[in-house]
Amino acid sequence: MDENLTIQTYTKKERNLYLTGMFGQNMIYNIVTTGLYFYFQNVICLPAVALGWIFAIARVWDAVNDPMMGSIVDRTKTKWGKCRPYLIFSPAVICVITCVAFLNGNYATAKTSGNNTAMILIVTWAALSYILWGMSYTAGDVPLWGIISRISESEKDRASLISLSRIIASIGAAVVVVSIVAISQAANGAFGLNQNAQKGFIVVGIAMTIVASLLFECAGLGTKERVPNSEEKKTMLESFALMWKCVPFRRILISGILRAPLQLMMMVVMTLFSYYYCEGDLSKAFTDPYKLLTIAIIGGCYFIGQFVAMVICPKLMTKFNVKTLYNLTGLAAIPTALLFVVFLIAPTELTKMVWIIVDGVLLLVSGAGFGAVNVCQSVMIADCIDYEEYHTGFRPDGIFFSGQSFITKFSAGIASIISAYVYNAVGYTDVNIDAMNKALNAGASFATDYTDYSKAMWFLLTIPPAIGMAISIIPTLKYEIDRKSHEKMLAELIKRHSESE
């Protein structure tokens, strides 16, 4: 690379404000994907199949909506840039719609009383609020990731920021995944309400959403776009076509879709934690040291595995091709599948410390694979943006990073359908969940008295995700961009940018 060329990149303050926004944005994402899903399924007790199709339809529409948003971003030209306007104005809209999604009736109560009108309204409200949430979230998510390739021309700085973003995103998830359910259930007790009553979830969900939205706002207010815009503009149809025509990007898309069942882990984990380890009330972990230690080991090992992988990935990328690291993540299928084998060996005894430690070790390795996938995928998408600009002169920041959202949301839709029919097959739905909650509150044991339910949860948490991890590397075995070719492309692009100024 020509040493006389000036490489533009972000400041430390800018990086920190961006990461603050990323933290808040991922808090919101997990308030919905974990907290709201748990709320719909286990608190207001929507029918399993209805819930599955609500999430599936909304997510598939979101998946289609993402490239549309990416095209809109790439056609935007303002004094703030093409990504920042959406980061400045979308958090407030997302905040309002997220809060509204929690304001719903109780399906189990309506069904027990035979109120068919209320049942229809509850399901309709859940569907509309969730679909609207997905559309508003897309308006912030696509530019949030797309701006990474616009605030720096340095490959090293981009990889570093992507790695830090993934770490911060996981921390945001960790803050929410356990706390929204546990604090909500604790709040129910503080209000003097029955276990799993709604008020605690409404109050805590709204409060956390407001805080998260304020943090999200920092990403728009604290960043600056430096990479020049492409003069060429593409229609939405041309944008969709471009995503498929770029061969290395197409491989990433197909790989991500094959990995779709991995989304089941986030959808099932809180229900499993709450019922299998805490008898339906995760707030017990606050008062029972053994339950707290259990959750810390099981959940902590998975997140530690992610963090370690996300920290070391940028360093490994200086020595190995990203493609190599990405394809090695397929090995994480082995420990993930072994988790179900452990369940089959001791289905009612996994609360014993010996099995907790075994599961913790397996989750540590499985989490490392998940963390590495997230970092490598984002870096590879950023590389594909350079690849496309190098070959065609058009820089598709919004379009290609919308592909990352496309993968996540389309995958979540597929996972929703899988979980819906597995849960429905074992009877884990609407009034049955309500009856189970009451039985557990009266002293029943989930692990021993509801073995069909626990088996379904452990299956969803392990076997489909393991299969997805294993087959997802097939398309990327022949991924075209290696470290040497990308360095050559980036040097040429920096030269072009400097000449165009």
Side-chain angles (χ1 to χ4, degrees):
M1 186 178 297
D2 189 346
E3 295 181 357
N4 295 320
L5 294 175
T6 301
I7 300 176
Q8 300 187 81
T9 192
Y10 51 80
T11 64
K12 289 183 178 180
K13 179 181 178 181
E14 195 175 350
R15 178 200 65 192
N16 293 341
L17 286 171
Y18 175 82
L19 293 174
T20 300
M22 179 65 71
F23 179 85
Q25 189 248 19
N26 274 271
M27 281 185 65
I28 295 172
Y29 181 77
N30 286 281
I31 285 168
V32 172
T33 57
T34 299
L36 188 65
Y37 185 88
F38 185 94
Y39 177 76
F40 281 169
Q41 181 183 59
N42 302 296
V43 179
I44 67 174
C45 303
L46 294 181
V49 173
L51 178 60
W53 278 106
I54 287 171
F55 271 68
I57 291 171
R59 288 310 183 120
V60 170
W61 164 242
D62 281 348
V64 174
N65 191 38
D66 282 337
M68 293 170 63
M69 186 64 207
S71 177
I72 292 171
V73 168
D74 281 332
R75 293 171 64 85
T76 298
K77 187 176 182 180
T78 71
K79 63 180 180 179
W80 297 307
K82 66 181 185 179
C83 293
R84 283 190 66 212
Y86 303 100
L87 297 179
I88 292 171
F89 297 110
S90 65
V93 177
I94 296 170
C95 178
V96 172
I97 296 176
T98 306
C99 292
V100 166
F102 280 93
L103 302 177
N104 205 333
N106 190 297
Y107 185 89
T109 301
K111 186 172 183 178
T112 301
S113 62
N115 191 336
N116 293 330
T117 301
M119 290 162 59
I120 293 171
L121 288 175
I122 290 166
V123 173
T124 302
W125 184 277
L128 290 177
S129 62
Y130 185 69
I131 290 171
L132 287 173
W133 175 84
M135 293 176 68
S136 65
Y137 185 82
T138 294
D141 187 49
V142 171
L144 181 66
W145 285 100
I147 202 172
I148 290 178
S149 66
R150 300 197 53 73
I151 61 178
S152 177
E153 294 179 312
S154 167
E155 181 183 19
K156 179 181 177 182
D157 288 349
R158 283 187 203 167
S160 175
L161 187 58
I162 287 172
S163 176
L164 288 171
S165 297
R166 286 300 187 180
I167 292 171
I168 291 297
S170 294
I171 294 173
V175 167
V176 172
V177 164
V178 174
S179 64
I180 187 170
V181 176
I183 295 174
S184 297
Q185 291 173 336
N188 290 330
F191 292 134
L193 303 171
N194 293 328
Q195 184 187 40
N196 286 337
Q198 288 179 251
K199 186 176 287 187
F201 281 86
I202 293 172
V203 171
V204 174
I206 290 176
M208 292 182 72
T209 297
I210 292 172
V211 172
S213 299
L214 292 173
L215 295 175
F216 185 10
E217 191 68 50
C218 293
L221 296 177
T223 54
K224 176 184 177 182
E225 297 186 25
R226 294 174 174 82
V227 177
N229 286 331
S230 300
E231 292 300 323
E232 181 184 357
K233 305 297 181 183
K234 292 187 178 294
T235 65
M236 289 186 182
L237 287 177
E238 289 172 335
S239 298
F240 276 98
L242 178 63
M243 293 174 70
W244 189 253
K245 287 179 180 178
C246 181
V247 178
F249 186 75
R250 182 170 70 216
R251 295 188 190 279
I252 297 171
L253 280 179
I254 297 173
S255 175
I257 292 170
L258 292 175
R259 201 172 53 248
L262 202 61
Q263 291 289 324
L264 283 165
M265 300 184 84
M266 291 302 296
M267 296 174 66
V268 175
V269 66
M270 278 325 308
T271 302
L272 182 64
F273 273 21
S274 181
Y275 286 102
Y276 195 94
Y277 294 108
C278 296
E279 302 301 349
D281 186 357
L282 199 59
S283 66
K284 289 179 181 179
F286 292 160
T287 56
D288 186 327
Y290 187 82
K291 284 183 170 56
L292 179 60
L293 180 62
T294 298
I295 298 300
I297 293 174
I298 296 293
C301 283
Y302 190 74
F303 280 110
I304 289 171
Q306 286 190 55
F307 295 153
V308 171
M310 288 187 284
V311 168
I312 66 174
C313 267
K315 296 179 181 178
L316 292 175
M317 288 175 191
T318 62
K319 298 181 178 180
F320 302 99
N321 287 324
V322 181
K323 162 187 169 179
T324 302
L325 298 177
Y326 184 89
N327 290 334
L328 285 173
T329 62
L331 296 174
I334 298 172
T336 305
L338 286 176
L339 287 164
F340 191 65
V341 175
V342 171
F343 170 79
L344 294 177
I345 294 172
T348 62
E349 299 178 358
L350 297 185
T351 54
K352 293 182 178 180
M353 187 52 64
V354 61
W355 295 115
I356 291 171
I357 293 173
V358 170
D359 279 347
V361 172
L362 292 174
L363 285 165
L364 183 72
V365 183
S366 177
F370 185 66
V373 160
N374 282 336
V375 174
C376 291
Q377 177 180 276
S378 296
V379 171
M380 290 162 80
I381 290 175
D383 291 351
C384 286
I385 293 171
D386 293 332
Y387 178 93
E388 187 65 24
E389 184 183 11
Y390 177 80
H391 286 285
T392 69
F394 178 71
R395 187 169 184 83
D397 306 275
I399 297 171
F400 277 16
F401 266 106
S402 74
Q404 180 167 270
S405 299
F406 174 92
I407 290 168
T408 300
K409 294 172 181 178
F410 189 82
S411 297
I414 295 173
S416 297
I417 293 297
I418 295 172
S419 64
Y421 283 97
V422 170
Y423 280 141
N424 193 63
V426 298
Y428 189 78
T429 183
D430 53 82
V431 293
N432 291 342
I433 296 176
D434 190 49
M436 179 191 68
N437 287 334
K438 293 174 181 176
L440 293 175
N441 202 31
S445 169
F446 181 80
T448 57
D449 297 330
Y450 295 94
T451 52
D452 286 347
Y453 294 173
S454 63
K455 186 175 184 179
M457 291 178 193
W458 279 103
F459 170 80
L460 289 170
L461 188 76
T462 57
I463 299 304
I467 294 172
M469 288 291 285
I471 65 176
S472 67
I473 66 172
I474 296 174
T476 54
L477 291 175
K478 294 184 178 181
Y479 182 73
E480 286 79 3
I481 305 174
D482 59 26
R483 192 155 52 95
K484 184 177 292 187
S485 65
H486 183 252
E487 288 176 352
K488 177 183 176 182
M489 287 188 289
L490 197 58
E492 172 62 23
L493 291 176
I494 293 171
K495 182 180 178 181
R496 290 182 196 174
H497 295 163
S498 65
E499 291 173 350
S500 66
E501 293 179 351

